[in-house]
Amino acid sequence: MRREFIYGKMKERKEKSKLEKKMQVKKSLTENKVLPTTVQKEALRIQDSLEWDDVPENQTEDIDDEYRYALVEDPKIVITTSRDPSVKLKQFAKELRLVFPNSQRINRGNYSFKALMDSCKKNGITDFIMIEETRGEPDGLIISHLPYGPTARFAIHDTVMRHDIPDIGTMPQEYPHLAFHNFKSKLGSRVTSILKHLFPVPKEESKRLISFLNCDDWILFSVCY
């Protein structure tokens, strides 16, 4: 599998290099500018191919897109904690399970991280979430997409539990609609992919909404229902 991955990356780099040269020639012809020296020798051949090719404006690296088959089935998520969790961290894990549909919470016990990951892979789990704490306060969230990643760690600040909010009622379990705001960079696109694929596709009539707002690299998270 590693050899196949390396071969795929090499092939992808060659295709990307060809595409970049085509874009340079196309831009020079459109703007009536001198061709870059890197493509002058191949300019005529590239110009001929442009008549038949549709040159895309944006090219994604498919070999690195671990979520390209994500919509084939709903995600299956396991949520656990660091070892010897406090009462507050256990409560936070229970409430987090209500946020993500099709998730289950398991006690960490004495299991190693590797043993947990191996067990999840064998049982068809698509995403693994581990919550961390410092002095009884939840302060970290590790999300790993199985089996090959990506893995991201988010810091948590100013945690407010549901049971600390008066008259909040019960949380519905229908699949939510998602709203992402200000995730415009390449990193923002990557973070959006990690977060949105934790949720299955909702029905149109669903009234539940989960929003992620990027404000100066802080993600403000809210649930509406």
Side-chain angles (χ1 to χ4, degrees), residues 26-37:
K26 184 179 180 181
K27 183 177 180 181
S28 297
L29 292 173
T30 303
E31 299 177 359
N32 197 25
K33 292 183 178 180
V34 178
L35 287 168
T37 56

Side-chain angles (χ1 to χ4, degrees), residues 135-147:
R135 299 184 184 91
E137 286 293 327
D139 66 348
L141 191 70
I142 297 175
I143 300 175
S144 183
H145 182 64
L146 303 180

Side-chain angles (χ1 to χ4, degrees), residues 30-115:
T30 303
E31 299 177 359
N32 197 25
K33 292 183 178 180
V34 178
L35 287 168
T37 56
T38 54
V39 297
Q40 285 180 357
K41 293 182 180 180
E42 304 174 80
L44 291 176
R45 179 180 58 81
I46 293 174
Q47 185 179 0
D48 289 339
S49 67
L50 282 174
E51 296 180 4
W52 306 99
D53 289 352
D54 292 325
V55 181
E57 295 295 329
N58 297 303
Q59 179 79 356
T60 59
E61 297 186 1
D62 187 66
I63 195 70
D64 286 334
D65 186 7
E66 303 90 346
Y67 296 101
R68 57 187 179 274
Y69 303 123
L71 297 179
V72 174
E73 58 183 12
D74 290 342
K76 292 175 61 179
I77 303 171
V78 161
I79 301 172
T80 191
T81 64
S82 52
R83 285 193 174 128
D84 300 320
S86 64
V87 174
K88 189 171 184 178
L89 190 66
K90 290 179 180 178
Q91 183 65 40
F92 184 69
K94 291 179 181 179
E95 296 187 358
L96 199 63
R97 187 188 65 79
L98 298 177
V99 172
F100 300 109
N102 302 331
S103 64
Q104 56 180 319
R105 181 182 62 88
I106 63 172
N107 295 323
R108 174 69 182 272
N110 293 322
Y111 292 107
S112 67
F113 190 79
K114 183 179 184 303

